[in-house]
Amino acid sequence: MNEKIYKTMSRTGAGSLVIGIVVLVTGLVTGILMIVNGAKLIKRKSDILI
């Protein structure tokens, strides 16, 4: 019985760790893309303003 609980807890922990890493990487990529797009907008500021 204890072995089943241990296996379940270890799988749950591993799954949570994987989800955390995916969320972290997604957040970093999104942040980098937002910074790059913002820099492009600032660079083209004179073209955008009428």
Side-chain angles (χ1 to χ4, degrees):
M1 186 67 177
N2 287 338
E3 189 174 331
K4 286 184 180 180
I5 294 171
Y6 177 76
K7 285 184 179 181
T8 302
M9 290 177 70
S10 65
R11 288 181 187 146
T12 303
S16 295
L17 186 63
V18 168
I19 290 172
I21 291 171
V22 168
V23 168
L24 179 69
V25 169
T26 303
L28 284 173
V29 169
T30 304
I32 291 170
L33 288 175
M34 289 179 73
I35 290 171
V36 168
N37 285 331
K40 286 181 182 179
L41 285 173
I42 290 173
K43 186 177 179 184
R44 297 282 191 152
K45 185 177 174 182
S46 61
D47 295 340
I48 295 170
L49 295 176
I50 297 174

